[in-house]
Amino acid sequence: MSSEKLDNLIEERTTQLERANRERHEELAESHRLPEAPREPEGERCQLALEGTGDSIWDWNIVTGAIDLDGYWTVMLGYEPAEIDFNFDWWFNRIHKEDIPAFEAALNAYLEGREKWYELEYRMQTKTGEWKWIWARGQCVARDEQNQPLRLLGTHRDITARKIAEDKLRQERDLLNGIMQTSVAAITVVDAGGKIIFANERSQEVLGLTQGELVDCLYNAPEWKITDFEGGPFPEEQLPFRQVMATGTPIFDVQHAIEWGDGTRKYLSINGAPLIDSSGAIARVVLSITDITDRLRVEEQLLHDALHDALTGLPNRILFVERVEHALKLSKRHQDYLFAVLFLDLDRFKVVNDSLGHRIGDQLLVAIARELERCLRNTDTVARLGGDEFTILLEDINDLKDATKVAERIQKILKSPFIVEGHEVFTSASIGIALSSTGYDCAEDLLRDADIAMYRAKELGKARHEVFDKVMHASALKLLQLENDLRRALERQEFEVYYQPITSLFTGTLTGFEALLRWHHPTQGLVSPLEFIPVAEETGLILPLGRWVLHEACRQLHTWHTQFPMTEPLKISVNLSGKQLKELEFIEQIDQILEKTGLDGRFLKLEITESVLMDNADTATKMLLQLRARNIQLSVDDFGTGYSSLSYLHRFPVNTLKIDRSFVSQMNPNDRNCEIVRTIVTLAHSLRMDVIAEGVETLEQLSELKLLKCEQGQGYFFSKPLTKEAAGKLLTQVPQW
Ligand code: C2E
Ligand code: MG
Ligand code: MG
């Protein structure tokens, strides 16, 4: 068959099929057809349909101004039909003022043919004064021969509910926008595939991407990779949005870092919540991302500062104790684990500070810190406890020798001078060593014992090291006992004031007494002030104790003044500790004591040792001037033993120098000590001060002192310190030496 024939055949068959199909369809339609329902007239049908929509009809005759409004319209505004004036003005007056321009514009646009419909939304006032939103739509239904509009016809629909809903929606959107814009966190929305589909402005800064780069990029952007805080990989399933997708619940403070190619890292804290779609599935995840890099840095710095010394950067006491505790734990677990704590105190660091200034002192400390670090292993810890005190923890050593070797190495390093700002500074250190093998329970005990050993090294001549041993332990215990006993001694009235006469070397008559404290210990008998005064100073007990002595001595002298009137009344010398001088209320106390005891200030002499005076030069001067104003006299005690620079002496308002016993007791004509005494006397006189020689024991010493023009003397030659009764008896005899 030719192709032409085939084509014709196909065409013919197709036409037949189409016809058959059509007929079949018609048959089917015929079989399903409903019986014809009776229909309303067309107008009525429209009316019914319109009522179904809830809209109302208006019919406005533009020429007469009459408006025909249907019943629904009145219902909408809450009026009875009888209350309505069916004209334009009545209706126009109820339009919201703000909507009038829009009304006019919409009408003109329609009438001028710019719009196909007259259409607009505006507000109308109801009978009760509320506003209703209305949607009006209409068209011109009659025109005159000039095509001018005569009548407009249309519908009104109450859209107030929709408007309120729209308004609410807009407010919510504004609120959300406000939150997004002002949030310090980056807020992003990520789809189920991890693609960012929304990002607020702050996201650009937090994530380091432009808005363009952000939206549509994968949460794991190509510019950076997500890592843990150390830069290691962050597990995919722990990614915040993955966690929310997996659990369907919010997450809080999931932390990870993002790292750029150049190694810079930002630390983030992320909160997230699922956004559920209408089918109940998690469609998206909203993430709130906070940059915590700065906070972490500050925290890190604070932690570092809390554990390190600001000047040298070395660990401080807290960190050191922590490390010793750790070492202690190790030694408890492993029998053969041995470690040592070294306590190092610089000798004469104060001299460096005082002579070269604090800045150089500080630099010296830093230089020493670096040297100490250099001569230790990485595993050891060197810390600065404050001032010129350093501690060292030597971990895992073989025996004591390892520790003493380190101490020797340090001494050796310190032997060569440090060059600080062009100054050659020589220094040395006293080192105490405590070994873990002694069986310690806490780090502080090790530190305490190393400290005790360090003090021992100082006592034995400085620039050396001592290992803490049983003897030191015993004496430390004794000291502790003394301290405890001392605390109770004052209330138990175990103290007594003794009085040692002071004599004029010119006339041989008594000029006064020095009040000297005695402690009657319940078991140890009389304890020397040389033993307990330092303990009282260290514990602060010297304050109540010193106050008591002052009061007692002043009271006693006043009694003697009344009992034994003299032309030249006796004076009382009372020793003062440095701590008392630093007490803020000291002057106030003195005033109270003088007032209570009735003693005139000019009969009171206060003795301050040379070192106390020099150590507190500034505060001392102020205090001493206040005392001077009360006519109270001042003596420098133990003069010659301290390191006072003589050029300083004239700055203080001092009346008397008391030459230390050590010079007087070894005085022989023409020897060195005699020369020293002579120099002191000359110095005192040139500064308009007088001199008391302490510890005069022999007639030879007395004669020599007289030759040197020393004004007064005190010592066993005249009398030992006496009880108040014995001293009182002495006064009845009017002694003459
Ligand atoms: P100090 O103020 O230099 O007192 C003089 C010390 O030398 C006294 O020792 C006294 O007994 C002793 N002494 C006096 N003449 C001689 C002598 O000829 N030969 C010898 N070998 N010694 C003599 P004491 O009473 O043992 O007092 C020792 C130190 O204790 C005092 O030295 C003073 O610094 C301190 N002290 C005593 N009582 C008090 C006090 O109430 N308050 C304060 N803060 N310190 C006090
Ligand atoms: Mg004294
Ligand atoms: Mg003295």
Side-chain angles (χ1 to χ4, degrees):
M1 201 184 287
S2 72
S3 81
E4 192 182 335
K5 265 192 178 167
L6 188 66
D7 284 349
N8 287 340
L9 194 64
I10 290 172
E11 201 181 316
E12 193 181 320
R13 275 290 160 85
T14 309
T15 319
Q16 280 171 1
L17 269 171
E18 277 175 359
R19 194 183 319 125
N21 207 12
R22 200 161 45 240
E23 284 166 4
R24 175 80 192 118
H25 263 270
E26 276 165 12
E27 264 169 41
L28 262 175
E30 195 59 30
S31 68
H32 282 85
R33 181 160 294 155
L34 292 169
E36 190 82 34
R39 272 199 174 191
E40 314 75 8
E42 195 57 25
E44 198 179 322
R45 210 161 80 97
C46 285
Q47 182 66 36
L48 285 170
L50 196 66
E51 277 174 21
T53 65
D55 292 354
S56 66
I57 298 173
W58 51 268
D59 190 340
W60 175 22
N61 187 324
I62 295 177
V63 183
T64 64
I67 290 183
D68 191 3
L69 302 166
D70 72 4
Y72 273 93
W73 208 89
T74 56
V75 172
M76 208 157 65
L77 294 190
Y79 289 101
E80 294 298 325
E83 292 173 306
I84 296 175
D85 250 355
F86 289 98
N87 67 50
F88 177 79
D89 289 343
W90 185 93
W91 171 80
F92 190 76
N93 282 339
R94 277 154 187 79
I95 296 184
H96 197 294
K97 293 268 171 304
E98 285 171 15
D99 297 339
I100 286 174
F103 160 73
E104 285 168 352
L107 187 63
N108 289 338
Y110 170 67
L111 293 178
E112 286 160 15
R114 280 180 280 120
E115 292 291 342
K116 202 166 165 221
W117 297 92
Y118 155 67
E119 184 176 16
L120 107 130
E121 292 175 358
Y122 62 94
R123 280 162 289 179
M124 285 206 78
Q125 199 161 32
T126 65
K127 187 181 168 186
T128 50
E130 293 142 40
W131 294 98
K132 277 217 161 154
W133 275 99
I134 285 166
W135 176 50
R137 192 174 153 104
Q139 61 181 326
C140 187
V141 291
R143 291 179 186 268
D144 61 12
E145 293 86 56
Q146 279 83 42
N147 203 29
Q148 287 302 310
L150 297 176
R151 245 181 84 217
L152 253 64
L153 179 69
T155 55
H156 274 151
R157 180 178 292 175
D158 181 352
I159 55 164
T160 312
R162 194 195 87 201
K163 279 287 186 187
I164 289 172
E166 272 176 11
D167 198 43
K168 206 170 144 208
L169 223 70
R170 191 172 43 249
Q171 280 181 26
E172 278 170 7
R173 200 187 52 219
D174 288 351
L175 178 75
L176 219 67
N177 273 343
I179 293 172
M180 293 285 179
Q181 276 168 14
T182 53
S183 164
V184 285
I187 297 174
T188 62
V189 179
V190 177
D191 72 10
K195 202 163 73 171
I196 297 176
I197 53 174
F198 169 84
N200 70 345
E201 227 167 277
R202 174 87 179 126
S203 304
Q204 303 176 33
E205 205 179 314
V206 172
L207 300 176
L209 296 174
T210 64
Q211 189 71 11
E213 289 167 331
L214 262 172
V215 172
D216 281 354
C217 91
L218 277 180
Y219 180 62
N220 207 344
E223 280 73 11
W224 32 253
K225 63 175 196 251
I226 293 177
T227 68
D228 64 18
F229 276 10
E230 271 73 47
F234 192 81
E236 171 80 15
E237 68 279 7
Q238 279 179 31
L239 283 177
F241 85 93
R242 287 259 181 262
Q243 286 193 44
V244 178
M245 291 298 295
T247 60
T249 52
I251 48 143
F252 296 98
D253 197 25
V254 174
Q255 299 189 348
H256 68 61
I258 47 181
E259 191 180 281
W260 279 263
D262 62 0
T264 48
R265 219 178 283 156
K266 225 177 219 193
Y267 301 95
L268 306 177
S269 160
I270 297 134
N271 296 343
L275 295 177
I276 313 288
D277 69 11
S278 53
S279 72
I282 306 169
R284 289 162 300 167
V285 174
V286 59
L287 299 171
S288 160
I289 307 167
T290 314
D291 182 352
I292 55 169
T293 313
D294 288 345
R295 196 189 81 198
L296 287 185
R297 292 224 172 98
V298 170
E299 276 173 12
E300 218 169 84
Q301 188 63 44
L302 283 177
L303 188 68
H304 182 273
D305 291 353
L307 297 177
H308 290 81
D309 165 48
L311 176 66
T312 60
L314 290 179
N316 63 9
R317 185 187 193 102
I318 300 169
L319 185 54
F320 187 78
V321 167
E322 217 169 76
R323 300 236 169 116
V324 176
E325 292 288 2
H326 180 252
L328 260 178
K329 269 189 204 138
L330 278 180
S331 73
K332 291 243 157 73
R333 240 177 281 147
H334 308 285
Q335 283 261 303
D336 53 347
Y337 184 87
L338 191 67
F339 69 90
V341 169
L342 271 60
F343 201 112
L344 185 153
D345 187 288
L346 299 181
D347 303 323
R348 299 172 59 79
F349 176 69
K350 207 179 145 15
V351 178
V352 175
N353 247 350
D354 287 350
S355 54
L356 298 176
H358 285 262
R359 202 163 47 105
I360 293 196
D362 282 354
Q363 287 181 30
L364 177 66
L365 290 174
V366 174
I368 289 173
R370 297 291 86 83
E371 283 299 326
L372 290 176
E373 278 175 329
R374 223 167 46 81
C375 76
L376 295 172
R377 299 168 302 172
N378 288 344
T379 46
D380 299 329
T381 303
V382 52
R384 178 172 174 239
L385 295 202
D388 56 353
E389 290 177 345
F390 294 88
T391 46
I392 294 164
L393 169 64
L394 302 175
E395 297 208 48
D396 200 10
I397 53 173
N398 295 318
D399 50 29
L400 176 62
K401 237 199 246 146
D402 281 353
T404 53
K405 261 195 228 149
V406 171
E408 279 158 19
R409 208 183 313 149
I410 293 171
Q411 309 277 22
K412 205 167 152 203
I413 286 172
L414 295 184
K415 256 203 190 107
S416 23
F418 285 81
I419 310 292
V420 185
E421 285 194 7
H423 296 273
E424 236 187 8
V425 187
F426 286 87
T427 178
S428 66
S430 301
I431 302 174
I433 303 173
L435 215 59
S436 65
S437 56
T438 322
Y440 287 96
D441 281 326
C442 76
E444 290 288 354
D445 288 355
L446 261 146
L447 220 65
R448 179 204 59 208
D449 287 355
D451 189 14
I452 291 171
M454 183 278 289
Y455 266 101
R456 186 89 191 108
K458 286 237 186 243
E459 277 167 17
L460 293 175
K462 301 181 176 167
R464 55 185 290 148
H465 63 263
E466 283 299 316
V467 181
F468 184 79
D469 61 18
K470 292 255 162 4
V471 180
M472 281 185 217
H473 187 66
S475 68
L477 273 185
K478 194 175 160 218
L479 201 66
L480 200 70
Q481 186 61 46
L482 195 73
E483 197 181 305
N484 281 340
D485 293 345
L486 202 57
R487 282 182 201 282
R488 273 174 245 131
L490 198 62
E491 59 193 65
R492 290 185 185 172
Q493 303 185 335
E494 290 168 5
F495 292 109
E496 189 181 357
V497 178
Y498 273 43
Y499 299 88
Q500 187 175 32
I502 297 174
T503 313
S504 160
L505 299 189
F506 300 151
T507 62
T509 52
L510 184 71
T511 56
F513 292 100
E514 175 172 4
L516 293 161
L517 194 55
R518 295 290 175 264
W519 179 16
H520 301 283
H521 190 281
T523 55
Q524 291 176 30
L526 213 59
V527 182
S528 161
L530 294 173
E531 220 175 303
F532 70 82
I533 293 282
V535 182
E537 287 195 332
E538 205 161 294
T539 52
L541 280 168
I542 193 70
L543 297 179
L545 198 53
R547 213 175 306 150
W548 180 79
V549 175
L550 249 172
H551 187 271
E552 188 61 20
C554 290
R555 193 189 54 73
Q556 188 56 56
L557 185 71
H558 186 63
T559 311
W560 285 332
H561 276 177
T562 358
Q563 279 177 353
F564 312 105
M566 293 181 189
T567 37
E568 190 63 52
L570 297 174
K571 294 203 167 75
I572 188 85
S573 297
V574 182
N575 292 288
L576 215 60
S577 126
K579 280 253 167 77
Q580 283 172 281
L581 207 61
K582 280 187 201 147
E583 210 182 6
L584 287 176
E585 309 92 57
F586 179 63
I587 296 288
E588 212 175 294
Q589 275 175 29
I590 293 257
D591 286 342
Q592 280 172 7
I593 288 172
L594 290 179
E595 199 195 315
K596 260 198 187 157
T597 58
L599 189 75
D600 191 322
R602 72 196 152 102
F603 303 121
L604 177 61
K605 259 189 161 182
L606 295 176
E607 295 194 3
I608 303 163
T609 61
E610 211 182 338
S611 46
V612 166
L613 199 62
M614 296 298 160
D615 284 355
N616 311 285
D618 289 340
T619 38
T621 315
K622 271 186 225 144
M623 197 69 95
L624 300 186
L625 284 170
Q626 281 177 276
L627 293 172
R628 177 50 82 79
R630 287 157 176 77
N631 290 324
I632 295 169
Q633 310 237 320
L634 297 159
S635 303
V636 180
D637 206 353
D638 305 343
F639 190 79
T641 57
Y643 57 89
S644 65
S645 92
L646 297 181
S647 59
Y648 249 55
L649 207 57
H650 73 277
R651 294 210 205 162
F652 302 108
V654 169
N655 309 80
T656 308
L657 294 187
K658 290 188 82 171
I659 305 180
D660 191 67
R661 201 175 71 220
S662 55
F663 302 112
V664 178
S665 63
Q666 291 170 32
M667 237 170 45
N668 291 308
N670 300 327
D671 90 357
R672 210 175 97 82
N673 270 320
C674 217
E675 272 319 299
I676 293 175
V677 175
R678 185 199 306 279
T679 313
I680 294 176
V681 174
T682 317
L683 170 80
H685 289 167
S686 71
L687 292 171
R688 299 219 182 93
M689 298 172 186
D690 59 8
V691 182
I692 300 180
E694 289 185 310
V696 184
E697 291 185 351
T698 63
L699 189 61
E700 290 75 42
Q701 290 163 356
L702 175 64
S703 324
E704 200 63 42
L705 287 164
K706 276 183 178 171
L707 277 178
L708 293 175
K709 303 245 171 352
C710 177
E711 283 90 354
Q712 298 177 77
Q714 174 185 353
Y716 294 173
F717 175 80
F718 307 104
S719 166
K720 287 203 168 184
L722 306 166
T723 60
K724 64 177 175 213
E725 293 79 15
K729 211 177 260 171
L730 192 73
L731 284 172
T732 56
Q733 302 160 359
V734 192
Q736 181 84 34
W737 284 283

